[in-house]
C-alpha cells in the first residue's frame, strides 16, 4: 500500500509528532531523523511544531523504511528542497550521522510503485540493484542524506541504476554444479520417479530403509530441475525480499529448502506477530524436502494440505489478512517402519504390525492423496555398488527434463499454467490422450483399487509427464505400467 508522508511545520512550542498508526520503530524515527538532518552542512532542524502524518492513517505502519521519506518531507516543508517530488518515492533507514541503511521488502515495493505510475525511486545504495531489476523505473541509490539533498537540488549528477537481467540468467548451469546423479549406483526406478517429478513439478515420496539412498537422491534433485524463468525468479525474489533473506538482486536458481522434523508450524507455513513467509513460501517455484516424514508432528503435516492445494498461504491477524505465495514442489522421504528395515533384503524388521501401522498413519490419507508418486527404494546390493559402469549424469537427465518442459510450455501456451501437475480436471480431459490398450489397463486398475478422484487425475498428470519425457503424443500402455509402480499402499508395502 503506498504511504504518503504529509508534513506540516507551524509556529508553536517545538515538538515533533508522527501520527497514522506508527509502531515503535516508526515512532523512534523522530530521533534518527532529527539527528540525521542536524548532521547536514548549512541545514538546521526547524525548532517549530512539526506534525508528520503517514496516510492512509487507518493502516498500521511498521519498520524503519519511513526514516528517509520523513526527513525529505521535513526538508521540503522547510523549503530546503524546492523540487517537485510528486512522482518520486523514497525508502530508507537513517543512522544518527545521516547515513542511509539497507531495508527489507524493497522488490515488492518497487513492483507496486511502477504500477502506481511513480517514475523515480530513491533508496539505500545497498538496495539499488534489487530495485533496478524492475524495468521502467529510474532507481537511484545513495549512502548519505546529504547526497540525496544535493541530487534533488541538482548539485550532484547521477545516472539511474541499470541491471542486465539477461546476464544474470546467462549460465543456468551454475545452479547444478555441486552434486550429480552419476554418483548414485543403481536405483533406476527412483531416478525415473525424480525425473518425472522434475519435469512435471510433481510431489513425490521416497520410502526405503536407512542407507538405501533417499537423502542422496534428494540432495541431487536440484541438478535435474529445469532453469527458473525470469517471471518465476521475480516472484520468488519478492518473497525473499519480504523475509529479509535476499542476498543478491534476484534469485537465479530454483530454491531447494529442507527442514528438520522439529520445525514449528509457524516456521513452516509462516506467521508471527508481524507475519513473515514460512519455509514453504521461501520454496515458491522450487522444492521443499522433508526427510523422515513420519517423524514430523501430525499438526505440522496437516498444515501442508491447504497450501499444497491452493498454492498460497493466507494468515489472518487483527491488523489484517496476509497472503504469501506457496507454489512449491514437495519432495519427501520416509522409513517404512520405526526400526527402518521393513523393506530391507538383509536386515530383519523388529517392529510389530501395530507399531508399523501407527508409525505410517502419521502420514494421513488426505496428505498422501496430494503426493503424486510414491516410490519404494531398496538398499543397493554389493553387485550394484561394485559395478564399474558409468551411471547417467545429471546433465543427460536435465536435457530430457528441459525438452519435456518445452513441450508443456507449447501445450499450455494459451493457459495460465506451466506444468502438467498444475492441470485442472477439465484440462486433463482436454489435453491427456490415452491409447486404447493403455485406457483399458488404467480403467481396470482404478476400478480394482478404488482410488479417489484426486489420485485418478494425479496419475494421469504423471503419465502425461512421462509421455512428454519420451516425446510421445499419447500415453501408451508401457507408460501406464510404469506409473502404476508409483502408487503404493503404505499399509501393505513389503
Amino acid at each position: 500500500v503506498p504511504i504518503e508522508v504529509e508534513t506540516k511545520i507551524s509556529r508553536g512550542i517545538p515538538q515533533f509528532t508522527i501520527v497514522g498508526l506508527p509502531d515503535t520503530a516508526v515512532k523512534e524515527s523522530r530521533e534518527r531523523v532529527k539527528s540525521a538532518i542536524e548532521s547536514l552542512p548549512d541545514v538546521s532542524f526547524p525548532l517549530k511544531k512539526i506534525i508528520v502524518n503517514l496516510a492512509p492513517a487507518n493502516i498500521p505502519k511498521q519498520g524503519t523504511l519511513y526514516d528517509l521519506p520523513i526527513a525529505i518531507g521535513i526538508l521540503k516543508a522547510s523549503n530546503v528542497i524546492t523540487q517537485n517530488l510528486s512522482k518520486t518515492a523514497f525508502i530508507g533507514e537513517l543512522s544518527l550521522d545521516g547515513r542511509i541503511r539497507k531495508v527489507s521488502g524493497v522488490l515488492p515495493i518497487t513492483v507496486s510503485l511502477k504500477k502506481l505510475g511513480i517514475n523515480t525511486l530513491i533508496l539505500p545504495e545497498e538496495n539499488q540493484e534489487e530495485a533496478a531489476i524492475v524495468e521502467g523505473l529510474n532507481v537511484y541509490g545513495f549512502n548519505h542524506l546529504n547526497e540525496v539533498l544535493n541530487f534533488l537540488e541538482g548539485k550532484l549528477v547521477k545516472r539511474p541504476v541499470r541491471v542486465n537481467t539477461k546476464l544474470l540468467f546467462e549460465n543456468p548451469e551454475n545452479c547444478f554444479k555441486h552434486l550429480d546423479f552419476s554418483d548414485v549406483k543403481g536405483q533406476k526406478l527412483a531416478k525415473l520417479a525424480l525425473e518425472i517429478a522434475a519435469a512435471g513439478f510433481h510431489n513425490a515420496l521416497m520410502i526405503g530403509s536407512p542407507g538405501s539412498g533417499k537423502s542422496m537422491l534428494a540432495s541431487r534433485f536440484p541438478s535435474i530441475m529445469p532453469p527458473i524463468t525470469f517471471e518465476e525468479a521475480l516472484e520468488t525474489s519478492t518473497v525473499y525480499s519480504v523475509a529479509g533473506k535476499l542476498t543478491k538482486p534476484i534469485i537465479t536458481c530454483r530454491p531447494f529448502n529442507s527442514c528438520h522434523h522439529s520445525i514449528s508450524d509457524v516456521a513452516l507455513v509462516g506467521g508471527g506477530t508481524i507475519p513473515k513467509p514460512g519455509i514453504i513460501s521461501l520454496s515458491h517455484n522450487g522444492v521443499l524436502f522433508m526427510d523422515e516424514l513420519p517423524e514430523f508432528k501430525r499438526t505440522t503435516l496437516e498444515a501442508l494440505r491447504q497450501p499444497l492445494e491452493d498454492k498460497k498461504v493466507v494468515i489472518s491477524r487483527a491488523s489484517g489478512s496476509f497472503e504469501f505465495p506457496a507454489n512449491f514442489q514437495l519432495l519427501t522421504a520416509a522409513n517404512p517402519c520405526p526400526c527402518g528395515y521393513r523393506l530391507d533384503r538383509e536386515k530383519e524388521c523388529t517392529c510389530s504390525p501395530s507399531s508399523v501401522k501407527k508409525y505410517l498413519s502419521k502420514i494421513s490419507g488426505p496428505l498422501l492423496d496430494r503426493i503424486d508418486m510414491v516410490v519404494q527404494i531398496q538398499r543397493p546390493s554389493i553387485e550394484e555398488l561394485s559395478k564399474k559402469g558409468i551411471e547417467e549424469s545429471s546433465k543427460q537427465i536435465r536435457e530430457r527434463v528441459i525438452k519435456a518442459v518445452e513441450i508443456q510450455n507449447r501445450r499450455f501456451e494459451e493457459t495460465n499454467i506451466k506444468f502438467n501437475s498444475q492441470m485442472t480436471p477439465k484440462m486433463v480431459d482436454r489435453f491427456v490422450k490415452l491409447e486404447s490398450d493403455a485406457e483399458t489397463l488404467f480403467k481396470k486398475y482404478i476400478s480394482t483399487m478404488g482410488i479417489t478422484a484426486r489420485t485418478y487425475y494425479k496419475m494421469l498428470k504423471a503419465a502425461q509427464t512421462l509421455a512428454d519425457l519420451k516425446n510421445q503424443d499419447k500415453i501408451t500402455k508401457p507408460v501406464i505400467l510404469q506409473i502404476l509402480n508409483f502408487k503404493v499402499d503404505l499399509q501393505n508395502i513389503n
Side-chain angles (χ1 to χ4, degrees), residues 136-167:
L137 201 67
N138 293 321
V139 175
Y140 299 91
F142 296 95
N143 284 317
H144 199 279
L145 180 59
N146 192 45
E147 292 177 4
V148 178
L149 183 59
N150 290 334
F151 173 76
L152 294 174
E153 289 300 299
K155 297 175 184 177
L156 174 64
V157 178
K158 193 167 186 175
R159 290 184 178 181
V161 181
R162 294 286 180 260
V163 174
N164 189 342
T165 52
K166 289 183 180 179
L167 192 63

PDB file of all heavy atoms in Angstrom, residues 136-167:
ATOM      1  N   GLY A 136      11.610   0.067 -16.179  1.00  0.00           N
ATOM      2  CA  GLY A 136      10.635   1.149 -16.352  1.00  0.00           C
ATOM      3  C   GLY A 136      10.571   2.114 -15.195  1.00  0.00           C
ATOM      4  O   GLY A 136       9.658   2.936 -15.107  1.00  0.00           O
ATOM      5  N   LEU A 137      11.545   2.037 -14.296  1.00  0.00           N
ATOM      6  CA  LEU A 137      11.592   2.925 -13.134  1.00  0.00           C
ATOM      7  C   LEU A 137      13.020   3.442 -12.981  1.00  0.00           C
ATOM      8  O   LEU A 137      13.968   2.673 -13.108  1.00  0.00           O
ATOM      9  CB  LEU A 137      11.181   2.137 -11.878  1.00  0.00           C
ATOM     10  CG  LEU A 137      10.693   2.919 -10.658  1.00  0.00           C
ATOM     11  CD1 LEU A 137       9.377   3.606 -10.958  1.00  0.00           C
ATOM     12  CD2 LEU A 137      10.515   1.972  -9.476  1.00  0.00           C
ATOM     13  N   ASN A 138      13.182   4.727 -12.754  1.00  0.00           N
ATOM     14  CA  ASN A 138      14.513   5.306 -12.531  1.00  0.00           C
ATOM     15  C   ASN A 138      14.891   5.124 -11.063  1.00  0.00           C
ATOM     16  O   ASN A 138      14.286   5.737 -10.180  1.00  0.00           O
ATOM     17  CB  ASN A 138      14.532   6.798 -12.904  1.00  0.00           C
ATOM     18  CG  ASN A 138      14.335   7.012 -14.390  1.00  0.00           C
ATOM     19  OD1 ASN A 138      14.858   6.262 -15.214  1.00  0.00           O
ATOM     20  ND2 ASN A 138      13.567   8.034 -14.753  1.00  0.00           N
ATOM     21  N   VAL A 139      15.880   4.278 -10.826  1.00  0.00           N
ATOM     22  CA  VAL A 139      16.288   3.936  -9.465  1.00  0.00           C
ATOM     23  C   VAL A 139      17.635   4.587  -9.165  1.00  0.00           C
ATOM     24  O   VAL A 139      18.592   4.449  -9.935  1.00  0.00           O
ATOM     25  CB  VAL A 139      16.393   2.405  -9.293  1.00  0.00           C
ATOM     26  CG1 VAL A 139      16.947   2.045  -7.917  1.00  0.00           C
ATOM     27  CG2 VAL A 139      15.031   1.748  -9.510  1.00  0.00           C
ATOM     28  N   TYR A 140      17.704   5.291  -8.023  1.00  0.00           N
ATOM     29  CA  TYR A 140      18.937   5.951  -7.599  1.00  0.00           C
ATOM     30  C   TYR A 140      19.266   5.493  -6.179  1.00  0.00           C
ATOM     31  O   TYR A 140      18.419   5.597  -5.282  1.00  0.00           O
ATOM     32  CB  TYR A 140      18.793   7.477  -7.624  1.00  0.00           C
ATOM     33  CG  TYR A 140      18.489   8.046  -8.994  1.00  0.00           C
ATOM     34  CD1 TYR A 140      17.169   8.236  -9.413  1.00  0.00           C
ATOM     35  CD2 TYR A 140      19.520   8.406  -9.864  1.00  0.00           C
ATOM     36  CE1 TYR A 140      16.883   8.771 -10.667  1.00  0.00           C
ATOM     37  CE2 TYR A 140      19.247   8.933 -11.122  1.00  0.00           C
ATOM     38  CZ  TYR A 140      17.926   9.110 -11.511  1.00  0.00           C
ATOM     39  OH  TYR A 140      17.656   9.641 -12.762  1.00  0.00           O
ATOM     40  N   GLY A 141      20.484   5.017  -5.978  1.00  0.00           N
ATOM     41  CA  GLY A 141      20.905   4.588  -4.655  1.00  0.00           C
ATOM     42  C   GLY A 141      21.899   5.557  -4.041  1.00  0.00           C
ATOM     43  O   GLY A 141      22.804   6.044  -4.723  1.00  0.00           O
ATOM     44  N   PHE A 142      21.728   5.840  -2.750  1.00  0.00           N
ATOM     45  CA  PHE A 142      22.600   6.800  -2.058  1.00  0.00           C
ATOM     46  C   PHE A 142      23.045   6.236  -0.711  1.00  0.00           C
ATOM     47  O   PHE A 142      22.354   5.407  -0.114  1.00  0.00           O
ATOM     48  CB  PHE A 142      21.887   8.132  -1.848  1.00  0.00           C
ATOM     49  CG  PHE A 142      21.530   8.847  -3.125  1.00  0.00           C
ATOM     50  CD1 PHE A 142      20.268   8.698  -3.692  1.00  0.00           C
ATOM     51  CD2 PHE A 142      22.467   9.644  -3.769  1.00  0.00           C
ATOM     52  CE1 PHE A 142      19.941   9.350  -4.870  1.00  0.00           C
ATOM     53  CE2 PHE A 142      22.148  10.301  -4.956  1.00  0.00           C
ATOM     54  CZ  PHE A 142      20.882  10.153  -5.504  1.00  0.00           C
ATOM     55  N   ASN A 143      24.195   6.742  -0.234  1.00  0.00           N
ATOM     56  CA  ASN A 143      24.743   6.306   1.052  1.00  0.00           C
ATOM     57  C   ASN A 143      24.476   7.298   2.185  1.00  0.00           C
ATOM     58  O   ASN A 143      24.613   6.949   3.350  1.00  0.00           O
ATOM     59  CB  ASN A 143      26.256   6.079   0.945  1.00  0.00           C
ATOM     60  CG  ASN A 143      26.591   4.785   0.217  1.00  0.00           C
ATOM     61  OD1 ASN A 143      25.970   3.767   0.460  1.00  0.00           O
ATOM     62  ND2 ASN A 143      27.567   4.843  -0.670  1.00  0.00           N
ATOM     63  N   HIS A 144      24.147   8.543   1.825  1.00  0.00           N
ATOM     64  CA  HIS A 144      24.011   9.583   2.850  1.00  0.00           C
ATOM     65  C   HIS A 144      22.883  10.543   2.473  1.00  0.00           C
ATOM     66  O   HIS A 144      22.624  10.800   1.289  1.00  0.00           O
ATOM     67  CB  HIS A 144      25.321  10.364   2.997  1.00  0.00           C
ATOM     68  CG  HIS A 144      25.436  11.119   4.283  1.00  0.00           C
ATOM     69  ND1 HIS A 144      24.841  12.346   4.461  1.00  0.00           N
ATOM     70  CD2 HIS A 144      26.062  10.818   5.458  1.00  0.00           C
ATOM     71  CE1 HIS A 144      25.106  12.777   5.687  1.00  0.00           C
ATOM     72  NE2 HIS A 144      25.853  11.865   6.315  1.00  0.00           N
ATOM     73  N   LEU A 145      22.231  11.076   3.496  1.00  0.00           N
ATOM     74  CA  LEU A 145      21.140  12.025   3.288  1.00  0.00           C
ATOM     75  C   LEU A 145      21.614  13.264   2.538  1.00  0.00           C
ATOM     76  O   LEU A 145      20.885  13.827   1.713  1.00  0.00           O
ATOM     77  CB  LEU A 145      20.534  12.409   4.649  1.00  0.00           C
ATOM     78  CG  LEU A 145      19.373  13.403   4.639  1.00  0.00           C
ATOM     79  CD1 LEU A 145      18.195  12.877   3.823  1.00  0.00           C
ATOM     80  CD2 LEU A 145      18.916  13.709   6.065  1.00  0.00           C
ATOM     81  N   ASN A 146      22.851  13.694   2.797  1.00  0.00           N
ATOM     82  CA  ASN A 146      23.398  14.872   2.117  1.00  0.00           C
ATOM     83  C   ASN A 146      23.504  14.648   0.608  1.00  0.00           C
ATOM     84  O   ASN A 146      23.277  15.565  -0.193  1.00  0.00           O
ATOM     85  CB  ASN A 146      24.764  15.229   2.699  1.00  0.00           C
ATOM     86  CG  ASN A 146      25.244  16.596   2.241  1.00  0.00           C
ATOM     87  OD1 ASN A 146      24.472  17.568   2.252  1.00  0.00           O
ATOM     88  ND2 ASN A 146      26.493  16.683   1.815  1.00  0.00           N
ATOM     89  N   GLU A 147      23.824  13.408   0.188  1.00  0.00           N
ATOM     90  CA  GLU A 147      23.893  13.078  -1.231  1.00  0.00           C
ATOM     91  C   GLU A 147      22.513  13.209  -1.875  1.00  0.00           C
ATOM     92  O   GLU A 147      22.382  13.711  -2.992  1.00  0.00           O
ATOM     93  CB  GLU A 147      24.421  11.648  -1.423  1.00  0.00           C
ATOM     94  CG  GLU A 147      25.877  11.454  -1.029  1.00  0.00           C
ATOM     95  CD  GLU A 147      26.307  10.003  -1.188  1.00  0.00           C
ATOM     96  OE1 GLU A 147      25.493   9.183  -1.673  1.00  0.00           O
ATOM     97  OE2 GLU A 147      27.449   9.675  -0.828  1.00  0.00           O
ATOM     98  N   VAL A 148      21.477  12.748  -1.176  1.00  0.00           N
ATOM     99  CA  VAL A 148      20.104  12.852  -1.686  1.00  0.00           C
ATOM    100  C   VAL A 148      19.723  14.313  -1.857  1.00  0.00           C
ATOM    101  O   VAL A 148      19.156  14.713  -2.885  1.00  0.00           O
ATOM    102  CB  VAL A 148      19.108  12.137  -0.742  1.00  0.00           C
ATOM    103  CG1 VAL A 148      17.683  12.283  -1.258  1.00  0.00           C
ATOM    104  CG2 VAL A 148      19.466  10.676  -0.574  1.00  0.00           C
ATOM    105  N   LEU A 149      20.058  15.143  -0.851  1.00  0.00           N
ATOM    106  CA  LEU A 149      19.738  16.569  -0.900  1.00  0.00           C
ATOM    107  C   LEU A 149      20.429  17.244  -2.088  1.00  0.00           C
ATOM    108  O   LEU A 149      19.799  18.006  -2.849  1.00  0.00           O
ATOM    109  CB  LEU A 149      20.160  17.230   0.416  1.00  0.00           C
ATOM    110  CG  LEU A 149      19.848  18.717   0.588  1.00  0.00           C
ATOM    111  CD1 LEU A 149      18.358  18.982   0.462  1.00  0.00           C
ATOM    112  CD2 LEU A 149      20.366  19.215   1.930  1.00  0.00           C
ATOM    113  N   ASN A 150      21.701  16.956  -2.271  1.00  0.00           N
ATOM    114  CA  ASN A 150      22.450  17.542  -3.391  1.00  0.00           C
ATOM    115  C   ASN A 150      21.909  17.070  -4.741  1.00  0.00           C
ATOM    116  O   ASN A 150      21.854  17.829  -5.707  1.00  0.00           O
ATOM    117  CB  ASN A 150      23.940  17.190  -3.281  1.00  0.00           C
ATOM    118  CG  ASN A 150      24.620  17.905  -2.138  1.00  0.00           C
ATOM    119  OD1 ASN A 150      24.180  18.990  -1.730  1.00  0.00           O
ATOM    120  ND2 ASN A 150      25.689  17.328  -1.604  1.00  0.00           N
ATOM    121  N   PHE A 151      21.481  15.801  -4.812  1.00  0.00           N
ATOM    122  CA  PHE A 151      20.923  15.263  -6.050  1.00  0.00           C
ATOM    123  C   PHE A 151      19.606  15.956  -6.407  1.00  0.00           C
ATOM    124  O   PHE A 151      19.378  16.346  -7.553  1.00  0.00           O
ATOM    125  CB  PHE A 151      20.709  13.750  -5.911  1.00  0.00           C
ATOM    126  CG  PHE A 151      19.996  13.123  -7.070  1.00  0.00           C
ATOM    127  CD1 PHE A 151      20.650  12.895  -8.278  1.00  0.00           C
ATOM    128  CD2 PHE A 151      18.650  12.764  -6.963  1.00  0.00           C
ATOM    129  CE1 PHE A 151      19.985  12.318  -9.348  1.00  0.00           C
ATOM    130  CE2 PHE A 151      17.978  12.191  -8.025  1.00  0.00           C
ATOM    131  CZ  PHE A 151      18.649  11.968  -9.224  1.00  0.00           C
ATOM    132  N   LEU A 152      18.745  16.118  -5.402  1.00  0.00           N
ATOM    133  CA  LEU A 152      17.446  16.756  -5.646  1.00  0.00           C
ATOM    134  C   LEU A 152      17.591  18.222  -6.033  1.00  0.00           C
ATOM    135  O   LEU A 152      16.773  18.765  -6.778  1.00  0.00           O
ATOM    136  CB  LEU A 152      16.553  16.621  -4.408  1.00  0.00           C
ATOM    137  CG  LEU A 152      16.120  15.189  -4.040  1.00  0.00           C
ATOM    138  CD1 LEU A 152      15.367  15.185  -2.732  1.00  0.00           C
ATOM    139  CD2 LEU A 152      15.267  14.583  -5.149  1.00  0.00           C
ATOM    140  N   GLU A 153      18.644  18.877  -5.535  1.00  0.00           N
ATOM    141  CA  GLU A 153      18.871  20.286  -5.841  1.00  0.00           C
ATOM    142  C   GLU A 153      19.733  20.478  -7.087  1.00  0.00           C
ATOM    143  O   GLU A 153      20.078  21.611  -7.436  1.00  0.00           O
ATOM    144  CB  GLU A 153      19.524  20.973  -4.633  1.00  0.00           C
ATOM    145  CG  GLU A 153      18.583  21.156  -3.455  1.00  0.00           C
ATOM    146  CD  GLU A 153      17.368  21.999  -3.813  1.00  0.00           C
ATOM    147  OE1 GLU A 153      17.537  23.166  -4.197  1.00  0.00           O
ATOM    148  OE2 GLU A 153      16.241  21.463  -3.732  1.00  0.00           O
ATOM    149  N   GLY A 154      20.101  19.367  -7.751  1.00  0.00           N
ATOM    150  CA  GLY A 154      20.870  19.464  -8.992  1.00  0.00           C
ATOM    151  C   GLY A 154      22.357  19.661  -8.798  1.00  0.00           C
ATOM    152  O   GLY A 154      23.089  19.901  -9.777  1.00  0.00           O
ATOM    153  N   LYS A 155      22.849  19.575  -7.571  1.00  0.00           N
ATOM    154  CA  LYS A 155      24.282  19.758  -7.306  1.00  0.00           C
ATOM    155  C   LYS A 155      25.076  18.470  -7.524  1.00  0.00           C
ATOM    156  O   LYS A 155      26.293  18.490  -7.605  1.00  0.00           O
ATOM    157  CB  LYS A 155      24.486  20.251  -5.861  1.00  0.00           C
ATOM    158  CG  LYS A 155      23.850  21.608  -5.590  1.00  0.00           C
ATOM    159  CD  LYS A 155      23.977  21.960  -4.122  1.00  0.00           C
ATOM    160  CE  LYS A 155      23.251  23.272  -3.802  1.00  0.00           C
ATOM    161  NZ  LYS A 155      23.318  23.592  -2.356  1.00  0.00           N
ATOM    162  N   LEU A 156      24.375  17.363  -7.577  1.00  0.00           N
ATOM    163  CA  LEU A 156      25.013  16.060  -7.795  1.00  0.00           C
ATOM    164  C   LEU A 156      24.318  15.379  -8.966  1.00  0.00           C
ATOM    165  O   LEU A 156      23.093  15.216  -8.962  1.00  0.00           O
ATOM    166  CB  LEU A 156      24.895  15.191  -6.533  1.00  0.00           C
ATOM    167  CG  LEU A 156      25.381  13.737  -6.639  1.00  0.00           C
ATOM    168  CD1 LEU A 156      26.887  13.687  -6.906  1.00  0.00           C
ATOM    169  CD2 LEU A 156      25.036  12.960  -5.355  1.00  0.00           C
ATOM    170  N   VAL A 157      25.103  15.018  -9.966  1.00  0.00           N
ATOM    171  CA  VAL A 157      24.546  14.348 -11.150  1.00  0.00           C
ATOM    172  C   VAL A 157      24.796  12.847 -11.024  1.00  0.00           C
ATOM    173  O   VAL A 157      25.917  12.416 -10.746  1.00  0.00           O
ATOM    174  CB  VAL A 157      25.187  14.885 -12.449  1.00  0.00           C
ATOM    175  CG1 VAL A 157      24.636  14.144 -13.661  1.00  0.00           C
ATOM    176  CG2 VAL A 157      24.937  16.387 -12.572  1.00  0.00           C
ATOM    177  N   LYS A 158      23.747  12.084 -11.208  1.00  0.00           N
ATOM    178  CA  LYS A 158      23.870  10.628 -11.076  1.00  0.00           C
ATOM    179  C   LYS A 158      22.944   9.943 -12.069  1.00  0.00           C
ATOM    180  O   LYS A 158      21.806  10.408 -12.286  1.00  0.00           O
ATOM    181  CB  LYS A 158      23.517  10.198  -9.642  1.00  0.00           C
ATOM    182  CG  LYS A 158      23.918   8.775  -9.308  1.00  0.00           C
ATOM    183  CD  LYS A 158      23.836   8.541  -7.813  1.00  0.00           C
ATOM    184  CE  LYS A 158      24.390   7.164  -7.462  1.00  0.00           C
ATOM    185  NZ  LYS A 158      24.441   6.945  -6.020  1.00  0.00           N
ATOM    186  N   ARG A 159      23.427   8.874 -12.674  1.00  0.00           N
ATOM    187  CA  ARG A 159      22.607   8.128 -13.615  1.00  0.00           C
ATOM    188  C   ARG A 159      21.802   7.043 -12.890  1.00  0.00           C
ATOM    189  O   ARG A 159      22.267   6.489 -11.893  1.00  0.00           O
ATOM    190  CB  ARG A 159      23.495   7.458 -14.675  1.00  0.00           C
ATOM    191  CG  ARG A 159      24.133   8.447 -15.638  1.00  0.00           C
ATOM    192  CD  ARG A 159      24.908   7.693 -16.703  1.00  0.00           C
ATOM    193  NE  ARG A 159      25.499   8.598 -17.666  1.00  0.00           N
ATOM    194  CZ  ARG A 159      26.208   8.199 -18.717  1.00  0.00           C
ATOM    195  NH1 ARG A 159      26.430   6.897 -18.909  1.00  0.00           N
ATOM    196  NH2 ARG A 159      26.703   9.077 -19.566  1.00  0.00           N
ATOM    197  N   PRO A 160      20.598   6.757 -13.393  1.00  0.00           N
ATOM    198  CA  PRO A 160      19.816   5.685 -12.763  1.00  0.00           C
ATOM    199  C   PRO A 160      20.519   4.340 -12.905  1.00  0.00           C
ATOM    200  O   PRO A 160      21.240   4.095 -13.878  1.00  0.00           O
ATOM    201  CB  PRO A 160      18.486   5.707 -13.532  1.00  0.00           C
ATOM    202  CG  PRO A 160      18.765   6.432 -14.809  1.00  0.00           C
ATOM    203  CD  PRO A 160      19.863   7.396 -14.505  1.00  0.00           C
ATOM    204  N   VAL A 161      20.311   3.479 -11.922  1.00  0.00           N
ATOM    205  CA  VAL A 161      20.961   2.161 -11.907  1.00  0.00           C
ATOM    206  C   VAL A 161      20.279   1.259 -12.930  1.00  0.00           C
ATOM    207  O   VAL A 161      19.053   1.249 -13.056  1.00  0.00           O
ATOM    208  CB  VAL A 161      20.857   1.524 -10.502  1.00  0.00           C
ATOM    209  CG1 VAL A 161      21.560   0.171 -10.471  1.00  0.00           C
ATOM    210  CG2 VAL A 161      21.433   2.452  -9.462  1.00  0.00           C
ATOM    211  N   ARG A 162      21.092   0.519 -13.672  1.00  0.00           N
ATOM    212  CA  ARG A 162      20.564  -0.450 -14.636  1.00  0.00           C
ATOM    213  C   ARG A 162      21.175  -1.822 -14.333  1.00  0.00           C
ATOM    214  O   ARG A 162      22.362  -1.928 -14.060  1.00  0.00           O
ATOM    215  CB  ARG A 162      20.906  -0.042 -16.073  1.00  0.00           C
ATOM    216  CG  ARG A 162      20.211   1.248 -16.530  1.00  0.00           C
ATOM    217  CD  ARG A 162      18.734   1.005 -16.814  1.00  0.00           C
ATOM    218  NE  ARG A 162      18.058   2.229 -17.251  1.00  0.00           N
ATOM    219  CZ  ARG A 162      17.323   2.997 -16.468  1.00  0.00           C
ATOM    220  NH1 ARG A 162      17.190   2.679 -15.188  1.00  0.00           N
ATOM    221  NH2 ARG A 162      16.723   4.067 -16.942  1.00  0.00           N
ATOM    222  N   VAL A 163      20.355  -2.857 -14.406  1.00  0.00           N
ATOM    223  CA  VAL A 163      20.817  -4.224 -14.181  1.00  0.00           C
ATOM    224  C   VAL A 163      20.509  -5.046 -15.426  1.00  0.00           C
ATOM    225  O   VAL A 163      19.371  -5.060 -15.906  1.00  0.00           O
ATOM    226  CB  VAL A 163      20.125  -4.859 -12.951  1.00  0.00           C
ATOM    227  CG1 VAL A 163      20.512  -6.331 -12.813  1.00  0.00           C
ATOM    228  CG2 VAL A 163      20.489  -4.099 -11.689  1.00  0.00           C
ATOM    229  N   ASN A 164      21.518  -5.702 -15.955  1.00  0.00           N
ATOM    230  CA  ASN A 164      21.337  -6.568 -17.120  1.00  0.00           C
ATOM    231  C   ASN A 164      20.815  -7.920 -16.639  1.00  0.00           C
ATOM    232  O   ASN A 164      21.581  -8.796 -16.252  1.00  0.00           O
ATOM    233  CB  ASN A 164      22.666  -6.728 -17.874  1.00  0.00           C
ATOM    234  CG  ASN A 164      22.489  -7.446 -19.203  1.00  0.00           C
ATOM    235  OD1 ASN A 164      21.481  -8.115 -19.431  1.00  0.00           O
ATOM    236  ND2 ASN A 164      23.469  -7.308 -20.082  1.00  0.00           N
ATOM    237  N   THR A 165      19.492  -8.076 -16.666  1.00  0.00           N
ATOM    238  CA  THR A 165      18.887  -9.311 -16.148  1.00  0.00           C
ATOM    239  C   THR A 165      19.247 -10.519 -17.006  1.00  0.00           C
ATOM    240  O   THR A 165      19.363 -11.637 -16.497  1.00  0.00           O
ATOM    241  CB  THR A 165      17.357  -9.169 -16.077  1.00  0.00           C
ATOM    242  OG1 THR A 165      16.863  -8.731 -17.352  1.00  0.00           O
ATOM    243  CG2 THR A 165      16.955  -8.158 -15.020  1.00  0.00           C
ATOM    244  N   LYS A 166      19.431 -10.314 -18.310  1.00  0.00           N
ATOM    245  CA  LYS A 166      19.799 -11.438 -19.186  1.00  0.00           C
ATOM    246  C   LYS A 166      21.144 -12.026 -18.780  1.00  0.00           C
ATOM    247  O   LYS A 166      21.347 -13.230 -18.832  1.00  0.00           O
ATOM    248  CB  LYS A 166      19.841 -10.966 -20.643  1.00  0.00           C
ATOM    249  CG  LYS A 166      18.469 -10.667 -21.240  1.00  0.00           C
ATOM    250  CD  LYS A 166      18.572 -10.270 -22.705  1.00  0.00           C
ATOM    251  CE  LYS A 166      17.194  -9.987 -23.290  1.00  0.00           C
ATOM    252  NZ  LYS A 166      17.289  -9.562 -24.724  1.00  0.00           N
ATOM    253  N   LEU A 167      22.054 -11.144 -18.365  1.00  0.00           N
ATOM    254  CA  LEU A 167      23.389 -11.598 -17.950  1.00  0.00           C
ATOM    255  C   LEU A 167      23.313 -12.457 -16.697  1.00  0.00           C
ATOM    256  O   LEU A 167      24.055 -13.420 -16.536  1.00  0.00           O
ATOM    257  CB  LEU A 167      24.285 -10.378 -17.710  1.00  0.00           C
ATOM    258  CG  LEU A 167      25.787 -10.641 -17.553  1.00  0.00           C
ATOM    259  CD1 LEU A 167      26.369 -11.226 -18.836  1.00  0.00           C
ATOM    260  CD2 LEU A 167      26.521  -9.359 -17.179  1.00  0.00           C
TER     261      LEU A 167
END
